[in-house]
Amino acid sequence: MSRAAVLCGLGGWVPAKAVANSTLAEQLDTTDEWIRTRTGIRQRFVIDPGQATSDLAVEAGRRALESARRTREHGGADGGPAPDVDLVVLATSTPDHPCPATAPVVAHRLGLAPVAAFDVGAVCTGFVYALATAASMVTAGLARRALVIGADTFSTILDPADRTTRAIFGDGAGAVVLRAGRPDEPGALLGFDLGSDGGGEELITVRAGGSRQRSTGAPAPEGDEWFSMRGREVFTQAVLCMSRSAEALLDGIGWRGEELDRMVAHQANVRILRAVGEQLGLAEDRLVVNLDRVGNTVAGSIPLALADAAASGGLRPGQRVLLTGFGGGLTWGSAALRWPELHVEPVPGLEGDEPAAAPDTHP
Ligand code: COA
């Protein structure tokens, strides 16, 4: 039988400092009510001065590795002796430094060096792209066991005066471990759909700091160093691209939208999640939602939502799960799997605070 990449470990991490909507309202022309009703977000987490993306990636990675170890101990999906991780793929758009990539230092700090390690940049779709890359390397035999991390610290690139982006984005990370296995096992990644449209580059961008601006030799125009987003257009594109991508994937693997137990979509705005769910014919109780407590953590978003939901019973073995993301580039991507038996620890800072997925009513 052919080889597949199988999910066998999962962990999430957020920084210690939570910022409530009411705190933003003290600093900016906004209100808790506006942010909650327009986005669904109640709070987000931000790093302290001097912290960086790798700090979050290392913690999420450590927890995913521990989850894989404990899952194996408990005879779950990751049974039997297995080789150690030999690949680290980090999805991020806020690397510690413009050069080099952040994945090698993350691998080093986790004691995994000298494994292959590299970054993937696809903004909010980064985790799905990184997952597809690592899964392909595992199925091709280039890696036996991969740590795939999504981590971002957008608080470092947001304009402090921009009420729209500061209301939405937060810092966070999530990680999974993939191992080689069979396509009929729970946890096997059953397919991917990936796409991009560089014609929409301007919708989500940091104008300064790259070769386009630096080659001019002139200082960047004021404000160009900050992240900028054309929110309303991004909203429309996000709904369209995630729905189409999910439908293409489901068609390809022979699942119908109504058969899905859980959709874990990129956590950008609860109105976007509802609109995509509606397109796919999903009842609201099928949507995994944790953006209310973490905001949009960019590449960290999907794995952090997975860890949060898995630890609190929002994802159960055997469920049909769709992952779908959309982000700058423009980029989008989807993946599907049957949820495996996993030992997942609650994300510190989020424990005891249930994700907003309604109780399971689907057998
Ligand atoms: N507080 C109060 N008012 C705000 C605000 C805030 N935090 N942010 C924006 N507004 C204002 C706008 O300035 C605008 O005012 P105006 O009408 O006087 O110009 C008004 O609210 C409506 O703005 P609009 O952009 O149309 O609001 P919206 O309902 O589309 O919500 C977003 C804005 C950003 C929340 C929404 O468009 C969105 O979620 N977009 C997608 C974001 C996303 O997914 N990004 C990541 C993708 S990877």
Side-chain angles (χ1 to χ4, degrees):
M1 181 179 277
S2 60
R3 200 167 139 116
V6 179
L7 183 79
C8 65
L10 171 64
W13 187 257
V14 290
K17 187 169 158 196
V19 178
N21 291 347
S22 54
T23 307
L24 289 185
E26 288 164 14
Q27 303 164 2
L28 297 161
D29 181 16
T30 189
T31 60
D32 171 50
E33 209 244 330
W34 192 95
I35 301 172
R36 264 190 302 105
T37 54
R38 304 307 297 163
T39 71
I41 297 166
R42 288 193 279 125
Q43 64 166 24
R44 72 287 299 140
F45 292 83
V46 299
I47 56 169
D48 286 325
Q51 284 191 307
T53 296
S54 65
D55 299 327
L56 307 186
V58 165
E59 292 300 340
R62 200 189 312 281
R63 297 174 76 80
L65 293 170
E66 178 61 13
S67 157
R69 196 184 65 76
R70 297 188 68 157
T71 298
R72 197 155 71 224
E73 271 173 10
H74 290 86
D78 193 18
D84 287 331
V85 162
D86 53 2
L87 170 68
V88 174
V89 186
L90 171 66
T92 189
S93 304
T94 45
D96 288 11
H97 309 282
C99 172
T102 303
V105 79
V106 170
H108 168 74
R109 286 175 58 190
L110 287 169
L112 299 172
V115 300
F118 58 92
D119 289 2
V120 165
V123 200
C124 296
T125 321
F127 179 75
V128 180
Y129 267 73
L131 194 67
T133 306
S136 307
M137 290 178 71
V138 167
T139 51
L142 268 170
R144 285 167 301 182
R145 186 174 284 245
L147 177 62
V148 186
I149 310 173
D152 267 302
T153 51
F154 258 46
S155 67
T156 61
I157 60 170
L158 299 182
D159 178 349
D162 184 347
R163 64 181 178 176
T164 306
T165 54
R166 283 198 57 205
I168 296 172
F169 291 93
D171 302 337
V176 300
V177 180
L178 300 181
R179 66 173 171 85
R182 298 186 322 271
D184 61 350
E185 288 182 65
L189 289 159
L190 300 173
F192 287 94
D193 175 79
L194 302 173
S196 78
D197 175 10
E201 178 193 42
E202 282 294 311
L203 296 191
I204 295 170
T205 185
V206 179
R207 288 192 183 81
S211 54
R212 178 75 63 206
Q213 176 261 317
R214 291 172 74 105
S215 68
T216 64
E222 206 184 321
D224 278 11
E225 73 275 33
W226 301 123
F227 175 85
S228 82
M229 178 183 75
R230 302 215 309 249
R232 209 176 290 190
E233 289 160 86
V234 170
F235 188 108
T236 311
Q237 287 300 317
V239 175
L240 196 69
C241 295
M242 281 195 279
S243 308
R244 280 193 193 149
S245 172
E247 279 163 0
L249 171 68
L250 296 177
D251 270 357
I253 63 170
W255 286 5
R256 284 180 295 117
E258 317 85 76
E259 292 174 342
L260 288 171
D261 296 297
R262 288 288 179 266
M263 178 180 84
V264 186
H266 171 56
Q267 304 283 306
N269 184 324
V270 75
R271 293 187 292 134
I272 294 177
L273 302 190
R274 287 192 185 124
V276 175
E278 234 166 74
Q279 286 291 320
L280 298 177
L282 295 178
E284 193 152 339
D285 64 3
R286 306 291 151 87
L287 314 183
V288 166
V289 182
N290 84 335
L291 58 81
D292 52 318
R293 289 164 301 131
V294 300
N296 176 352
T297 56
V298 192
S301 174
I302 290 177
L304 184 55
L306 285 174
D308 199 10
S312 58
L315 284 167
R316 301 209 204 99
Q319 286 182 327
R320 292 177 186 228
V321 179
L322 166 76
L323 316 182
T324 185
F326 171 84
L330 304 172
T331 53
W332 54 87
S334 305
L337 72 162
R338 270 194 191 273
W339 198 250
E341 193 91 49
L342 278 185
H343 182 100
V344 184
E345 290 290 321
V347 182
L350 304 183
E351 66 269 70
D353 202 358
E354 291 291 302
D360 191 11
T361 52
H362 194 55

